[in-house]
Amino acid sequence: MSRTTWSSPASTSAPLPDEEQRLRELGYQPVLARRMGGFGNFAISFSVISILSGCMTLYGFGLGTGGPAVMLWGWAGVGLFVLFVGLALAEVTSAYPTSGALYYMADRLGGRRWGWYTGWLNLLGLLGAIAGIDYGAALFTGAFLNLKFGFTPTPEKTFLIFLCILLLHAVLNLFNVRLVSLLNSISVWWHVGGVAVIVGVLAIVPDHHQSPSFVFGEFVNHTGWDNPLYVTAIGLLLAQYTFCGYDASAHLSEETSNASVSAARGIVRAIWASWIAGFILLAGLTFAIQDYAGTQEADVPPAQIMIDAIGESGATALLLIVIMAQLFCGNAETAAASRMVFAFSRDNALPGSKVWRKVSSRTQVPVPAVWLSVGLAAVIALPSLYSATAYTAVTAINVIGITPAYAIPIYLRLRAGDRFKPGPWNLGRWSKPIGWVAVVWVVFVTVLFCLPQASPVTVDTMNYASIALAVVLILATVWWFVARRSYSTPSAYGSEREQAEIAEDIV
């Protein structure tokens, strides 16, 4: 197959591969329904990135860790580096379009142990993403109910709302993938339209706006740390957390038509579209701040900006837009995580793999994997009942779990050199420079978000993300010695034993 450049991967004159045959060549019998088109595949990554979820839920964090200047310029810089990561990952995805995605790529390019640890990191990040997204939606729902009905959102009540949202997303994901694809397609237009409405209203209605010098130049430090460079660095969490989850396109590749091209394109398009729209959203919110101190002290700062700028009735309507976007986001992330659980179990990597890899014969959906995904997400968010800073720790768990998992297959692809056989979507001569920039960036942010975010460091302010990362790595190491004989990604599909196992898993 001829090589092409990333800017026009579809221009190759070679015929596109038969995706079902390609999947068999990679070692897997197709059991998931290929009912998602290219737009739907892009939509799931765009929905998971969800600027109306990530930007909104960590906006309060950004107000005190560098303030407007770090939020706006940090978004611009982080988005550029994430685009490098996305481009490099898209190239590997085109060569290995499977539900296992990152860990399967690492296994093929680096060996079983590389695949094993990549899979566990990817799983941690995906589950942390569900917890972070849906808990953020619960916080905004509590703020909406407070405005509308005088509801007082205590930690216990917020957690109950969170559990209800998890249940909703589990149920929606039990239907076939066409529903997931439809909801994600709606989500794209909801996000684009929602940003336009929110920014437009906040630009037109308020009598007072902040100056451009404030929005793009004001530095605020309420972290307790004295070093402005350190504060600026940890303030990048807002952007880096939002720019997570674009591997969803890869995880849904076994359910996507023309996945070798569509999944790669979906990753890249989701990143640059979110990059542009997110900058507009952050600028619109920041220009509309009426009372900085009051906004920072609020339970949900973006809601306070809306209340101060346009009144409670208008704020209630805008909050509904945000909440719906967050619900779309959480639903898409649940789909991606459940496919990762399914794929990892298919290769016997998880405790109880025989249960989690089962697929419904009626909907062709991995039902047990859906329930396990939302159940573990609930466990990850439990500390929010006891710690006011637990939510930022959950978001950091997402970042330091999933971001290294992005870099591992990229690094292994670089190490493989000419042994790597590119798919129809590839970077050509730009592959190495883009790949090395991506790897270096990921190493930097992984170390960064393990560091403490507030001083003095106490039980309440400690960054527990590093502990979560250590626990998962220890668990992965222990389980490796238990399951290493049964764990394997097949090199070719077709043995009688494999066919019999696939048949048993369709229920």
Side-chain angles (χ1 to χ4, degrees):
M1 190 167 292
S2 62
R3 293 177 67 87
T4 61
T5 63
W6 67 266
S7 59
S8 56
S11 64
T12 178
S13 59
L16 293 172
D18 178 288
E19 295 296 341
E20 303 291 29
Q21 180 57 34
R22 176 58 180 150
L23 193 59
R24 291 186 177 91
E25 291 171 359
L26 293 174
Y28 296 113
Q29 170 69 2
V31 295
L32 302 175
R34 207 173 283 275
R35 295 169 177 164
M36 183 177 286
F39 183 81
N41 186 277
F42 149 75
I44 192 167
S45 282
F46 185 79
S47 297
V48 170
I49 292 175
S50 184
I51 54 176
L52 286 173
S53 179
C55 291
M56 291 291 197
T57 52
L58 280 186
Y59 190 84
F61 174 81
L63 289 173
T65 51
V70 173
M71 283 195 285
L72 270 296
W73 295 115
W75 181 271
V78 169
L80 177 62
F81 285 111
V82 170
L83 185 59
F84 278 86
V85 179
L87 286 166
L89 185 63
E91 180 179 53
V92 190
T93 297
S94 180
Y96 302 107
T98 72
S99 294
L102 309 180
Y103 88 85
Y104 181 86
M105 302 170 196
D107 183 288
R108 278 290 171 268
L109 293 168
R112 294 172 69 235
R113 191 166 295 197
W114 279 103
W116 177 268
Y117 282 99
T118 302
W120 279 93
L121 287 170
N122 192 192
L123 187 60
L124 171 67
L126 288 168
L127 296 175
I130 298 176
I133 293 162
D134 283 1
Y135 194 83
L139 289 171
F140 273 76
T141 301
F144 170 80
L145 294 174
N146 177 261
L147 281 176
K148 194 71 177 173
F149 306 108
F151 172 84
T152 303
T154 63
E156 293 78 14
K157 291 177 181 177
T158 301
F159 196 81
L160 182 60
I161 296 171
F162 165 66
L163 293 178
C164 291
I165 293 172
L166 284 177
L167 179 61
L168 171 66
H169 288 151
V171 172
L172 288 174
N173 274 274
L174 297 182
F175 295 93
N176 68 47
V177 76
R178 282 180 179 165
L179 177 61
V180 175
S181 182
L182 174 62
L183 291 174
N184 289 330
S185 297
I186 296 171
S187 172
V188 171
W189 301 114
W190 187 275
H191 276 80
V192 172
V195 169
V197 170
I198 291 170
V199 173
V201 169
L202 293 179
I204 295 169
V205 176
D207 294 328
H208 169 73
H209 290 91
Q210 298 291 342
S211 66
S213 61
F214 175 87
V215 173
F216 297 103
E218 184 73 11
F219 181 85
V220 179
N221 176 17
H222 293 153
T223 64
W225 299 108
D226 295 326
N227 190 321
L229 289 178
Y230 183 82
V231 174
T232 299
I234 61 176
L236 300 179
L237 176 62
L238 182 153
Q240 187 64 50
Y241 165 66
T242 306
F243 281 114
C244 278
Y246 43 86
D247 59 313
S249 289
H251 288 295
L252 272 291
S253 58
E254 289 185 35
E255 295 160 88
T256 301
S257 301
N258 190 20
S260 296
V261 172
S262 296
R265 283 178 173 168
I267 291 171
V268 177
R269 288 173 175 172
I271 292 171
W272 67 252
S274 300
W275 188 20
I276 296 169
F279 189 86
I280 294 170
L281 176 63
L282 287 172
L285 276 173
T286 309
F287 270 113
I289 294 175
Q290 307 295 305
D291 176 7
Y292 199 96
T295 299
Q296 191 173 5
E297 292 170 1
D299 292 334
V300 183
Q304 191 63 48
I305 292 174
M306 296 172 187
I307 293 169
D308 293 343
I310 61 175
E312 290 191 2
S313 297
T316 301
L318 295 186
L319 278 176
L320 272 178
I321 294 175
V322 176
I323 291 167
M324 282 300 300
Q326 292 172 334
L327 293 177
F328 280 127
C329 175
N331 189 65
E333 186 62 49
T334 301
S338 64
R339 271 47 174 193
M340 170 60 197
V341 170
F342 158 75
F344 216 28
S345 299
R346 181 172 58 181
D347 293 328
N348 296 307
L350 294 179
S353 285
K354 288 187 177 181
V355 175
W356 313 124
R357 71 190 183 198
K358 292 186 180 298
V359 176
S360 168
S361 59
R362 183 175 60 86
T363 61
Q364 292 181 278
V365 167
V367 173
V370 171
W371 288 112
L372 180 64
S373 299
V374 297
L376 292 176
V379 173
I380 288 174
L382 275 175
S384 64
L385 287 169
Y386 312 103
S387 170
T389 60
Y391 181 68
T392 54
V394 170
T395 59
I397 287 171
N398 172 218
V399 172
I400 68 169
I402 208 166
T403 307
Y406 291 156
I408 292 172
I410 297 171
Y411 165 73
L412 294 173
R413 177 263 173 276
L414 293 168
R415 193 180 72 166
D418 293 337
R419 290 190 295 107
F420 173 74
K421 303 301 180 185
W425 195 105
N426 60 83
L427 299 170
R429 67 179 182 274
W430 293 100
S431 180
K432 288 185 178 179
I434 289 175
W436 282 116
V437 170
V439 170
V440 171
W441 173 253
V442 169
V443 171
F444 169 71
V445 296
T446 301
V447 173
L448 180 63
F449 296 133
C450 287
L451 301 176
Q453 298 166 351
S455 176
V457 179
T458 66
V459 172
D460 289 333
T461 63
M462 181 178 176
N463 183 358
Y464 291 96
S466 55
I467 295 177
L469 178 63
V471 168
V472 167
L473 290 176
I474 291 170
L475 176 61
T477 302
V478 171
W479 191 248
W480 167 260
F481 290 103
V482 175
R484 60 182 173 177
R485 288 185 176 85
S486 60
Y487 164 71
S488 66
T489 55
S491 57
Y493 173 81
S495 74
E496 291 183 4
R497 181 181 65 82
E498 288 168 332
Q499 293 184 51
E501 288 180 353
I502 291 293
E504 290 177 359
D505 294 337
I506 301 176
V507 296

